[in-house]
Amino acid sequence: MENVKKTIGSFSFDHVGIAVSSIEESLVFYKAMGLKNIHFEEVPSEKVKVAMLELENSSKLELLEPIDNSGPIQKFLDKKGPGIHHICLRVGDIHSVIENLKSANIKLINDEPKKGAHNMLVAFVHPKSTGGVLLEISQPQ
Ligand code: ZN
């Protein structure tokens, strides 16, 4: 790919983000299935409560519940209802990935990495540039 200016290093699958109206109600299903390793936090910048369901291979399911009516997850629920919201790839060097995307004129939602759930640096790529998938890229801080 001629647009890629830097070697990025590793990519791995990190998680699927799922919009839910109630984490508590959603967890009835996941707990019934036997999932136990669950980590809770709030991400005030995104106006969401998060439940991370940790899987054996270090990938996760991320349940996202709106804290109030003005955040992006509430907007998603209003428009589309509960369901898959985004997928997330873990990258070795998020700054270089963003730089490469910008130089390829890819539409980003975040021009700079910001602090996301799980103490990760994250940025979102616009679905218009990815074939309809909201893509999160993340890197451990
Ligand atoms: Zn996510």
Side-chain angles (χ1 to χ4, degrees):
M1 299 244 296
E2 61 189 45
N3 280 326
V4 175
K5 303 253 183 342
K6 283 191 176 180
T7 306
I8 302 304
S10 64
F11 285 89
S12 55
F13 179 74
D14 193 85
H15 65 265
V16 174
I18 301 168
V20 302
S21 36
S22 162
I23 282 175
E24 197 186 342
E25 283 172 26
S26 299
L27 283 178
V28 172
F29 160 69
Y30 290 104
K31 285 178 175 169
M33 201 161 55
L35 284 170
K36 289 194 183 88
N37 191 358
I38 305 169
H39 163 93
F40 297 94
E41 69 180 291
E42 285 199 9
V43 185
S45 63
E46 294 293 311
K47 300 179 176 173
V48 285
K49 280 196 265 190
V50 177
M52 281 286 196
L53 287 69
E54 311 264 355
L55 310 178
E56 297 302 325
N57 62 356
S58 91
S59 61
K60 307 169 219 39
L61 300 176
E62 179 184 58
L63 305 181
L64 302 155
E65 176 190 327
I67 291 172
D68 70 20
N69 288 329
S70 67
I73 296 302
Q74 183 60 55
K75 281 184 190 135
F76 180 89
L77 287 171
D78 291 344
K79 209 166 148 190
K80 298 189 174 168
I84 293 177
H85 177 259
H86 65 270
I87 65 169
C88 179
L89 297 179
R90 197 179 323 148
V91 300
D93 179 352
I94 193 169
H95 291 94
S96 295
V97 173
I98 288 173
E99 202 177 302
N100 284 345
L101 292 172
K102 280 182 186 168
S103 64
N105 290 319
I106 301 296
K107 190 171 176 182
L108 293 155
I109 293 173
N110 310 108
D111 280 342
E112 299 289 334
K114 58 178 188 168
K115 196 178 174 303
H118 241 58
N119 203 32
M120 303 287 263
L121 283 176
V122 305
F124 285 88
V125 185
H126 200 283
K128 279 189 178 141
S129 294
T130 63
V133 178
L134 177 58
L135 180 73
E136 180 181 16
I137 51 177
S138 75
Q139 179 197 319
Q141 291 206 73

